[in-house]
Amino acid sequence: MKTTDYVDALRVKLQCRSDYELSKRLGIASNVLQRYRKGGTFDNTMAARVAALLDIEPLEVIGDMELERAKSDAAREQWTKIMQRFSRIAAAATG
C-alpha cells in the first residue's frame, strides 16, 4: 500500500470526517498530513504507530514505506523481494 492508502484507512478506522480531524487525532500538524497526501512517506516510528492503529504488522507498513521511497529500480526490486518473503513467512506463521 502507498502512504495515501494508509491515510485513507486511518480516516475510516478512526471515523474522521476530514484530514484536519485525522491530524488532530494523530497528534501531528495538518501540514504533515498534507505532506503524506502529496507523496511524503511515514518515518519508521510513524509507520509503527499507523500499523498499531490499523492492527497490522509494523514491518508491513515499514516495508511499504521503504518501497515507496526507493529511488532506483534496483532498490524497488530489492524491497519487493523483501516484502514477498515477509508475506510468505507471515502466511506460514498464521496458516
Side-chain angles (χ1 to χ4, degrees), residues 43-82:
D43 64 19
N44 288 347
T45 302
M46 180 57 83
R49 190 164 168 223
V50 167
L53 289 167
L54 295 175
D55 196 31
I56 57 178
E57 175 59 47
L59 291 177
E60 180 179 344
V61 182
I62 290 169
D64 283 343
M65 295 302 101
E66 291 294 339
L67 182 60
E68 194 172 346
R69 281 192 288 266
K71 302 267 189 244
S72 68
D73 288 341
R76 279 187 287 279
E77 183 178 333
Q78 178 185 19
W79 278 104
T80 298
K81 287 179 182 177
I82 289 169

Side-chain angles (χ1 to χ4, degrees), residues 12 17 24 51-52 74 88 94:
V12 170
R17 291 178 290 197
K24 294 303 172 196
R88 285 193 303 271
T94 59

